[in-house]
Amino acid sequence: MPVVVDLRSDTVTRPTPAMRAAIAEAEVGDDAYGEDPTVKALEAEVAELLGHEAALFTPTGSMANQIAIQLLVDPGEELLVDSEAHVVTHEVGAAAVIGGISTRTWPSQGGQLDADLVAAQLRPDGYHAVATRAVGVEQTHNRSGGVVLPLDELRRLRDITSQAGVALHCDGARIWHAHIADGVPLIEYGRLFDTVSVCLSKGLGAPAGSLVIASADRIARARTLRKRMGGTMRQAGILAAAGQHALRHHLAGLADDHARARRLAEALSGFGVVDPARVRTNIVPLDLTKSAADAATLAAGAAEHWLLVSVLGPRFARLVTHHDVDDAGVEHAITVLAGVLGR
Ligand SMILES: *Cc1c(COP(=O)(O)O)cnc(C)c1O
């Protein structure tokens, strides 16, 4: 049977033999009692990486985001985010349903951040106004194709929000990719935000697990919020060990994923579906508005040749490189996609 090249997402990776060995050897305990040494070690390690006092391990990135948002915004108050942000497009209304939080969006600028545009939308607390309590940004920006938000603009946004007394959250599911692409130390990003969420199961290749990072006080409250959402696990060191292994052994390799995404983008740019200059990390968005094939046709044509791609809209498809795709897989993808796009 031919090998499937799965470019749908960087979540499809399987644990490597070395990661499985780390999982097998993990020291564990009941984390609900605070007795899992591997979870505690991972939390301390990630908090330090991002320059914060504490961190909390969660089953998913969505839960990490929702905990962070609830830490910053009370029911009936407002979170302001980009209109294409994961928290408003892919978390099935959790902020409203679980947190009682009102969300408002600024029109997405292709994932680019314009601090002045955000500043103009902040709504002060006042009579009959929903108070903006937090702003959320996404690093890297998923639906815009792994766009990296520049450190300078993030600093400007931090100044603006601090002056307004508004908190700042970073959905850092792929903050690792930004760190590798721009060479910005994780701590430089981390210290700009009141809360950060990170995923270990995206590019880093762990089977599951995310963290919320914040001050010690906030993480103490986060523990209760996690419990309320049913996210407290027991011998979760099994998963934390995979995360520790991923951080040690898979972080630097993200540079290879970025190079492969760039290769895909360059090879497909002749079909007018992607601008390679915009592909800086591991996501290649395909804009099929001017192509003969729509997204479903492209995906079906690819699948005939054991290549899987994501359909995100009628004329919007996406390729994502990751740990389980090598150079040969990328060359196969180029051949197959060129065949379908060139029809
Ligand atoms: C994947 C992702 C998340 C979290 O997703 P889960 O599937 O809940 O782990 C959050 N934000 C962004 C930008 C993501 O891509």
Side-chain angles (χ1 to χ4, degrees):
M1 202 169 88
V3 180
V4 174
V5 175
D6 192 345
L7 296 180
R8 287 173 302 167
S9 173
D10 45 10
T11 55
V12 301
T13 54
R14 305 229 176 39
T16 60
M19 184 180 278
R20 286 178 186 269
I23 291 170
E25 283 155 22
E27 243 190 278
V28 296
D30 188 335
D31 190 49
Y33 290 106
E35 290 173 3
D36 190 303
T38 310
V39 170
K40 283 196 198 170
L42 174 70
E43 289 172 342
E45 182 181 337
V46 172
E48 194 182 335
L49 266 181
L50 287 146
H52 280 262
E53 288 172 344
L56 185 73
F57 191 55
T58 61
T60 64
S62 297
M63 190 184 286
N65 272 339
Q66 293 304 323
I67 288 172
I69 291 164
Q70 289 177 58
L71 287 171
L72 304 177
V73 186
D74 282 339
E77 297 178 337
E78 179 180 272
L79 168 78
L80 184 62
V81 290
D82 176 302
S83 58
E84 291 292 320
H86 194 280
V87 282
V88 288
T89 55
H90 292 297
E91 295 181 19
V92 289
V97 175
I98 304 169
I101 291 165
S102 189
T103 36
R104 194 154 52 90
T105 56
W106 68 78
S108 188
Q109 312 289 303
Q112 305 294 334
L113 177 64
D114 177 350
D116 296 320
L117 178 86
V118 179
Q121 296 234 25
L122 293 176
R123 208 174 259 159
D125 193 2
Y127 186 59
H128 281 176
V130 179
T132 313
R133 289 290 183 231
V135 167
V137 296
E138 200 169 294
Q139 179 78 305
T140 63
H141 196 283
N142 180 352
R143 286 182 62 88
S144 304
V147 168
V148 184
L149 308 179
L151 185 61
D152 285 353
E153 198 62 8
L154 288 171
R155 286 195 171 127
R156 281 208 326 122
L157 182 64
R158 176 73 274 184
D159 289 345
I160 288 165
T161 50
S162 293
Q163 277 187 9
V166 169
L168 195 54
H169 169 65
C170 178
D171 176 347
R174 295 187 184 81
I175 200 166
W176 324 110
H177 298 78
H179 157 63
I180 294 294
D182 273 6
V184 173
L186 288 163
I187 199 165
E188 294 289 321
Y189 289 136
R191 55 167 62 124
L192 292 175
F193 304 106
D194 297 287
T195 53
V196 184
S197 62
V198 299
C199 283
L200 302 166
S201 59
K202 296 278 172 79
L204 288 181
S210 288
L211 296 104
V212 194
I213 300 103
S215 66
D217 283 357
R218 284 196 169 119
I219 292 302
R221 281 173 54 214
R223 218 167 273 286
T224 307
L225 296 171
R226 182 182 67 178
K227 176 77 179 155
R228 181 171 295 145
M229 285 190 265
T232 302
M233 298 181 284
R234 303 295 180 171
Q235 286 72 31
I238 295 279
L239 294 172
Q244 282 184 315
H245 178 89
L247 280 171
R248 284 194 192 111
H249 301 285
H250 295 181
L251 187 55
L254 296 182
D256 299 331
D257 296 346
H258 297 180
R260 290 185 182 116
R262 186 66 182 247
R263 162 88 186 116
L264 277 167
E266 278 165 2
L268 299 176
S269 64
F271 298 97
V273 292
V274 58
D275 174 6
R278 292 202 48 205
V279 174
R280 305 246 357 266
T281 59
N282 68 327
I283 301 178
V284 184
L286 300 181
D287 173 0
L288 302 168
T289 43
K290 294 195 194 92
S291 118
D294 62 12
T297 307
L298 184 76
E304 283 173 21
H305 300 278
W306 306 89
L307 172 69
L308 306 181
V309 308
S310 259
V311 174
L312 295 187
R315 295 211 158 249
F316 181 26
R318 188 186 73 169
L319 316 173
V320 187
T321 56
H322 52 75
H323 195 268
D324 290 4
V325 178
D326 58 12
D327 290 333
V330 164
E331 296 312 314
H332 173 68
I334 290 169
T335 309
V336 171
L337 294 172
V340 180
L341 291 168
R343 264 178 211 161

